[in-house]
Amino acid sequence: MSKKIFVIHNHKNFSGAARSLGETILNLKKKIRFIVICPKGSSSKYFKSLNIEVMEVLLVPRFNHFELGYYRGFRWLLLIREIFGLIYFFFFLLKLKLRIKDIEKFHLNELELVIIAPLLKFFFNSRITSHLRCLFEIKKGRLRIMFFKFLCKTFLNKIIAIDNDCYKTSPLKKITHIVYNGINKKNLLTKKIKSKVITFGFVGNFIRRKGIYQVLEVFRKIDKKINTKVICVGKTYQKNFLLNLFRYEQNFGKYIKKYNINKCKKIEILPMTFNLKNFYSRIDIILFPGFMNGVGRPVIEASLLKKPSIIALDKYNNDTAKKNSCLIFRPGDLISFEKKILHLLKNKQLIKKMGISAFKNAKKNFDINKNSKKIYKIIWG
């Protein structure tokens, strides 16, 4: 196999972005040899479980200018980590250059990694492409926006936006193409487990920005009033010294103990797993209540299984969150979130109707074979 590409993944913790990358690689493995550079953690463990070549590193430097996480206030201190990361990554690439003289192509799994594009060009003069998986901040930080535009224009060949909402925020639309995440439905095929109650589901890291605390708050409140259930699957331990120091992150274990969540019969908490078949077989509706103001992979996966969703989103769109396939609420609005849950519990016939609509849309947009071919053409040029 002559074609080879190095893919750089940004986070050590497993997420929808890692799963999307993994499934794309599996679909294209007969055409391209992929080597993933990734911080050691659950993400690298996931890639290895798929028999993908992985080069584990201490960290990968990034520059966050997304709607949710852009630098402000004490968050500017996170740049300490990124400066250290740039120095570390410089020497990592130097060692890589000594081992492999020429690398023709690099792909960044998120646009915040464009900060390392100058180093990639310096050492290898490669073709560089990038995904855009989160909404880029386009209103605040004018100098930072100009900086990103410069980096994209100078060092990137193409940007792949995962939906139209992301495309609208791209710092350089001229080189940006929309390619939806591809879903391999075979990995999700489930046998419905019958339940007497409507069951909601949440999957994601148990951190504040993912909305796990919104889920627990609402179901604590309605626990004794209504016969329903929520199943939460995710990683229960998040270690980030700077975020914890300035209380940007909450200790999940302490929260569980403080509010006796384990005694709430309608709340079931399960550890992270790469295989979500059992999870999806037990739920009727997926919850995506985070603060990213975007649509995540669980919504798409659930759609392919004819399960509707409740999403934290400012407005409906025409591709990933169509009005007849989901319900939305303003991110952070607990009252509205609770109302959407109660609305579906009181209108059970709507669950099936929305699920069928979600399936029709997902079947059209998220075909793994079709979308992988598009990514192949963009990356390879």
Side-chain angles (χ1 to χ4, degrees):
M1 187 181 294
S2 59
K3 292 185 176 181
K4 180 171 64 177
I5 186 168
F6 283 74
V7 182
I8 303 178
H9 181 66
N10 47 344
H11 287 291
K12 66 177 183 179
N13 293 318
F14 178 69
S15 64
R19 185 180 288 277
S20 294
L21 174 60
E23 292 206 356
T24 299
I25 290 174
L26 288 181
N27 196 266
L28 294 174
K29 65 180 181 180
K30 291 182 180 180
K31 295 182 178 180
I32 307 174
R33 177 189 169 194
F34 287 89
I35 299 96
V36 177
I37 298 172
C38 174
K40 185 177 182 179
S42 52
S43 286
S44 62
K45 185 178 179 181
Y46 166 71
F47 294 130
K48 288 179 180 179
S49 75
L50 302 179
N51 293 319
I52 296 170
E53 292 182 65
V54 179
M55 298 182 71
E56 291 181 325
V57 294
L58 180 64
L59 64 104
V60 178
R62 52 190 192 262
F63 193 91
N64 189 329
H65 195 63
F66 297 129
E67 277 191 13
L68 177 63
Y70 70 93
Y71 303 116
R72 57 202 181 275
F74 283 119
R75 287 194 69 87
W76 280 106
L77 290 173
L78 294 175
L79 285 180
I80 297 171
R81 178 188 64 190
E82 310 313 337
I83 292 170
F84 170 76
L86 280 170
I87 297 170
Y88 166 82
F89 213 71
F90 175 89
F91 287 103
F92 167 78
L93 291 177
L94 178 61
K95 291 179 182 178
L96 188 63
K97 178 68 175 179
L98 295 175
R99 286 174 51 195
I100 307 172
K101 290 186 178 181
D102 297 310
I103 295 177
E104 188 178 351
K105 289 176 173 63
F106 279 96
H107 180 71
L108 312 175
N109 202 33
E110 184 54 276
L111 194 63
E112 65 179 357
L113 296 176
V114 73
I115 193 71
I116 61 176
L119 292 178
L120 300 178
K121 281 288 185 182
F122 173 76
F123 282 108
F124 299 101
N125 195 29
S126 308
R127 174 183 170 86
I128 306 172
T129 53
S130 176
H131 256 89
L132 175 57
R133 299 184 182 275
C134 297
L135 300 182
F136 188 76
E137 175 56 52
I138 58 175
K139 295 180 180 179
K140 299 177 181 178
R142 187 171 64 89
L143 290 177
R144 280 171 276 173
I145 294 171
M146 291 173 62
F147 178 55
F148 263 86
K149 285 183 177 179
F150 166 76
L151 290 176
C152 292
K153 187 175 182 179
T154 307
F155 300 104
L156 295 188
N157 294 92
K158 297 289 181 181
I159 298 171
I160 301 171
I162 63 168
D163 57 34
N164 192 51
D165 286 344
C166 286
Y167 172 81
K168 290 177 182 177
T169 69
S170 173
L172 196 62
K173 291 187 177 67
K174 185 178 180 180
I175 64 169
T176 305
H177 303 265
I178 299 174
V179 181
Y180 299 109
N181 282 325
I183 308 293
N184 189 342
K185 193 180 176 183
K186 291 180 181 179
N187 295 334
L188 298 172
L189 287 177
T190 61
K191 185 177 180 180
K192 175 63 179 174
I193 297 176
K194 293 183 179 180
S195 175
K196 295 180 180 180
V197 301
I198 299 299
T199 304
F200 295 82
F202 170 93
V203 57
N205 289 318
F206 292 160
I207 53 178
R208 183 177 292 166
R209 67 175 179 271
K210 295 291 186 178
I212 180 61
Y213 297 106
Q214 277 64 38
V215 173
L216 299 180
E217 283 288 325
V218 169
F219 279 86
R220 276 176 53 218
K221 186 177 179 182
I222 65 175
D223 185 41
K224 296 178 181 179
K225 292 165 52 178
I226 298 174
N227 192 20
T228 186
K229 184 175 183 177
V230 64
I231 300 172
C232 303
V233 173
K235 189 171 182 179
T236 59
Y237 182 63
Q238 179 74 3
K239 184 170 66 175
N240 189 312
F241 174 75
L242 289 174
L243 289 179
N244 291 333
L245 178 64
F246 296 103
R247 304 197 178 192
Y248 277 104
E249 197 46 71
Q250 194 166 352
N251 186 299
F252 185 75
K254 288 182 179 179
Y255 180 91
I256 295 297
K257 290 180 181 179
K258 181 178 179 180
Y259 294 104
N260 294 315
I261 298 299
N262 290 328
K263 293 182 180 180
C264 295
K265 295 181 179 180
K266 301 299 188 295
I267 300 175
E268 183 177 352
I269 297 176
L270 299 173
M272 182 196 72
T273 176
F274 299 145
N275 188 340
L276 293 171
K277 288 183 179 181
N278 184 59
F279 167 75
Y280 281 119
S281 70
R282 296 178 62 194
I283 69 166
D284 301 289
I285 302 145
I286 196 76
L287 302 175
F288 198 76
F291 292 85
M292 290 82 76
N293 194 29
V295 179
R297 186 181 177 88
V299 172
I300 301 168
E301 291 178 335
S303 296
L304 282 167
L305 298 171
K306 299 182 180 179
K307 301 176 190 292
S309 51
I310 300 177
I311 312 168
L313 199 64
D314 283 338
K315 58 183 179 180
Y316 290 102
N317 59 40
N318 293 319
D319 50 15
T320 55
K322 300 186 80 169
K323 195 170 186 179
N324 57 352
S325 63
C326 64
L327 297 178
I328 66 172
F329 66 97
R330 186 170 56 84
D333 189 341
L334 273 176
I335 295 175
S336 179
F337 182 33
E338 182 182 357
K339 285 181 178 178
K340 302 300 179 183
I341 291 172
L342 295 176
H343 179 68
L344 289 183
L345 288 172
K346 292 175 182 177
N347 299 274
K348 295 180 182 180
Q349 72 284 356
L350 187 60
I351 298 173
K352 185 176 181 180
K353 184 178 179 181
M354 290 174 61
I356 292 172
S357 178
F359 171 75
K360 289 179 180 177
N361 182 55
K363 188 177 180 181
K364 179 178 66 176
N365 288 332
F366 306 110
D367 181 90
I368 183 68
N369 295 314
K370 181 175 66 176
N371 293 349
S372 293
K373 287 177 181 177
K374 290 180 181 179
I375 289 175
Y376 173 79
K377 289 179 180 179
I378 291 171
I379 288 178
W380 212 255

